[in-house]
Amino acid sequence: GHSDADVLLHAVSDALLGAAGLGDIGRHFPDTDPKYKGADSLLLLKNVAEKVAAAGYRVSNIDVTMIAQRPLKDFIPQMEANIALAVGIAASRVNVKATTEERLGFTGTGEGMACHAVCLLEE
């Protein structure tokens, strides 16, 4: 990826931007802009949270499903804490879970990871 390519944080950023009607991460941090080369996705997520707040929304919760062949359970508490801190909500309002695709597809063979994220915003 052009930034640090953190699939989890990019999915969360896209969920927040989409729920606020603000487009997607590529619109705000284009890979054609060299200043985002190697960018820290936690900083991008914090910036997204600021954009969402400026649009008049408050993040109520975030729910994420990571799809990977390798176990992630030991990292989940830190993932939740990092997301919560960047977005400015309690860690109890962030839920990260992980699943596999039983060795099917690029995620199942370990060639990559995928992520689905949803959030609830309140005006």
Side-chain angles (χ1 to χ4, degrees):
H2 186 70
S3 68
D4 65 7
D6 187 313
V7 66
L8 169 72
L9 298 179
H10 285 211
V12 171
S13 293
D14 273 338
L16 292 169
L17 289 166
L22 298 174
D24 64 16
I25 195 171
R27 180 187 302 175
H28 296 273
F29 313 105
D31 62 5
T32 55
D33 189 334
K35 73 179 173 183
Y36 299 117
K37 178 84 172 142
D40 182 335
S41 292
L42 269 174
L43 295 178
L44 298 181
L45 177 57
K46 184 175 182 180
N47 187 281
V48 164
E50 291 167 357
K51 291 176 186 299
V52 168
Y57 296 98
R58 182 175 63 83
V59 179
S60 179
N61 65 42
I62 298 170
D63 183 57
V64 181
T65 303
M66 295 290 301
I67 305 164
Q69 196 55 44
R70 294 189 184 105
L72 299 173
K73 68 180 180 177
D74 293 341
F75 303 102
I76 287 175
Q78 190 61 56
M79 291 175 187
E80 292 171 341
N82 289 347
I83 292 168
L85 185 62
V87 175
I89 61 176
S92 62
R93 294 186 167 269
V94 178
N95 184 61
V96 176
K97 53 201 177 300
T99 190
T100 69
E101 290 187 309
E102 302 300 328
R103 305 204 184 284
L104 298 174
F106 76 94
T107 59
T109 60
E111 295 175 69
M113 295 169 52
C115 186
H116 300 284
V118 296
C119 66
L120 178 63
L121 300 182
E122 297 179 43
E123 285 188 277

